[in-house]
Amino acid sequence: MVFGLFTMRGYNFSPRFKDLNDQRFWRAEMPGAESGGYGPLEDLARNKVNLNKVTMHWPDMLRVAGSPARW
């Protein structure tokens, strides 16, 4: 929505990462599936997601994502 609003107004929305040196970029490799590679970002995305943890905690993640925020 934000990109569309900026385009309608004739602006180029280009968010920047703050403190990029401290950021980690992650990759997910599915077991048994061929990885297509990340091209020029290959060295940047060197951290790997532990998909076993994601699968194990998926029901909890859905519950938290679907629960209303109570501030």
Side-chain angles (χ1 to χ4, degrees):
M1 187 177 207
V2 172
F3 288 98
L5 291 171
F6 270 73
T7 302
M8 286 171 47
R9 298 292 299 151
Y11 296 111
N12 183 15
F13 182 65
S14 301
R16 304 285 188 255
F17 292 109
K18 182 179 179 185
D19 300 326
L20 189 58
N21 294 336
D22 295 346
Q23 302 299 313
R24 286 181 153 193
F25 293 86
W26 297 82
R27 67 188 325 154
E29 294 179 357
M30 301 296 290
E34 186 177 329
S35 177
Y38 289 84
L41 301 177
E42 193 73 41
D43 292 334
L44 186 64
R46 60 184 170 268
N47 300 296
K48 293 184 181 177
V49 174
N50 185 342
L51 293 177
N52 291 329
K53 286 185 177 181
V54 174
T55 330
M56 183 172 51
H57 296 290
W58 187 251
D60 294 327
M61 293 166 61
L62 289 177
R63 183 177 47 78
V64 170
S67 66
R70 295 189 178 124
W71 304 98

